[in-house]
Amino acid sequence: AQTVTQSQPEMSVQEAETVTLSCTYDTSESDYYLFWYKQPPSRQMILVIRQEAYKQQNATENRFSVNFQKAAKSFSLKISDSQLGDAAMYFCAYSPDLQGAQKLVFGQGTRLTINP
Amino acid sequence: EAQVTQNPRYLITVTGKKLTVTCSQNMNHEYMSWYRQDPGLGLRQIYYSMNVEVTDKGDVPEGYKVSRKEKRNFPLILESPSPNQTSLYFCASRYGRWETQYFGPGTRLLVL
C-alpha cells in the first residue's frame, strides 16, 4: 500500500528566511505524481506545487521549490523568503499513474509558523 | 468564477439522523472525490467518481454513500451518522486524470 509520511508535525521560521518541509513516500510504482498542498486557517486546500515522477528536473513555483529524490522516495518543499501569509498546514500527497486511478494519498501534515 | 461549492459549511446533527452534504462544480470536470480530514491523519479518500453513474470506494467508505446523476453534482450521504463521522469533509474535482484537483471550502460536521 502506498503511504506518505511527514515526520515534522510542526515547523517555525523567521520571516524572510528559508524553510524546508520533509516528505517521504512508499510505492512500488515507477510513474506517479507528487503534490504539496497548503491549508491556511480558512481550511481551503490550495495546490502549491506538483511534480511528475518521470521528470528529473525539480518543480519550481516562484518562492516554492521541491527537492525530488526518486531513489530515496523523498519529496521536500523549500520555501524561500518566508512571508507571514505562508503560515498554514502543509500536506504532501501522492497519486499513482494508473489507468483510471483516482487515488490521492495524503501525509499527516506539517504546521508551519512564521515568526515576524 | 471556477469553483467547487459545498453545502452546508457547518452542520451539527444527532446520531442516526440521515444527512446529505452537497457538492457542485462549474468546471465541467469528469473526476470528483470526497475526503475527510482528521487531526494527525491528513486527508483520507472516501469515494470517487470518474463520470456520471461511475463511482467507486476510496480508503474509508464505510458509513457513506454517494451518487453521480449529473456531471456537476456529487453529493455525500450519511444514512445513519455516528459520532466517529465527526470530521471536516472536502469535495474535490479535476478535469483529467493528471490534472490538479480543485477543493471545495470544506464542511465541518459534528455528530452528537
Side-chain angles (χ1 to χ4, degrees):
Chain A
Q2 296 105 350
T3 58
V4 177
T5 302
Q6 294 177 248
S7 58
Q8 306 153 316
E10 296 183 354
M11 292 280 286
S12 64
V13 64
Q14 289 296 126
E15 191 176 4
E17 293 189 349
T18 296
V19 64
T20 298
L21 308 184
S22 301
C23 172
T24 58
Y25 56 95
D26 185 26
T27 182
S28 58
E29 304 295 331
S30 58
D31 292 319
Y32 47 86
Y33 288 70
L34 296 164
F35 307 85
W36 278 98
Y37 281 91
K38 170 185 176 181
Q39 187 181 45
S42 67
R43 295 296 189 180
Q44 263 279 34
M45 293 290 288
I46 302 165
L47 178 69
V48 175
I49 201 163
R50 181 178 98 166
Q51 174 80 44
E52 292 88 343
Y54 64 85
K55 289 186 178 179
Q56 292 188 338
Q57 187 172 7
N58 289 326
T60 299
E61 288 287 340
N62 300 314
R63 297 183 294 108
F64 298 86
S65 61
V66 298
N67 183 5
F68 173 47
Q69 301 288 330
K70 191 173 184 179
K73 296 180 182 175
S74 170
F75 183 60
S76 60
L77 174 69
K78 185 172 82 170
I79 306 174
S80 304
D81 185 25
S82 298
Q83 300 176 359
L84 295 177
D86 295 333
M89 194 77 157
Y90 286 82
F91 291 96
C92 178
Y94 159 94
S95 183
D97 185 8
L98 297 172
Q99 181 66 33
Q102 277 284 285
K103 201 171 186 65
L104 190 62
V105 181
F106 284 85
Q108 305 91 328
T110 296
R111 184 172 302 282
L112 177 64
T113 301
I114 311 295
N115 300 314
Chain B
E1 179 190 355
Q3 60 182 351
V4 178
T5 56
Q6 293 178 228
N7 283 292
R9 293 290 310 280
Y10 304 91
L11 179 61
I12 301 174
T13 189
V14 295
T15 298
K17 186 176 181 181
K18 181 180 178 180
L19 67 92
T20 299
V21 183
T22 65
C23 172
S24 183
Q25 49 93 4
N26 63 0
M27 296 167 279
N28 201 35
H29 286 173
E30 294 179 346
Y31 296 82
M32 298 185 75
S33 294
W34 275 103
Y35 299 87
R36 60 177 289 173
Q37 182 181 7
D38 302 289
L41 296 177
L43 281 80
R44 293 177 292 168
Q45 193 172 41
I46 304 171
Y47 268 95
Y48 63 88
S49 170
M50 290 179 282
N51 214 324
V52 175
E53 303 292 1
V54 182
T55 64
D56 207 348
K57 297 176 181 178
D59 292 323
V60 288
E62 295 79 18
Y64 304 95
K65 285 176 57 176
V66 293
S67 68
R68 189 93 182 270
K69 293 183 170 56
E70 303 167 282
K71 198 170 186 178
R72 63 184 294 129
N73 296 323
F74 190 45
L76 179 70
I77 303 158
L78 284 72
E79 294 269 1
S80 182
S82 62
N84 64 13
Q85 292 178 298
T86 292
S87 187
L88 177 61
Y89 291 87
F90 286 98
C91 180
S93 75
R94 63 183 178 184
Y95 179 69
R97 269 196 298 146
W98 315 126
E99 298 300 314
T100 300
Q101 288 212 59
Y102 291 81
F103 282 83
T107 295
R108 187 170 289 283
L109 172 66
L110 173 60
V111 183
L112 300 172

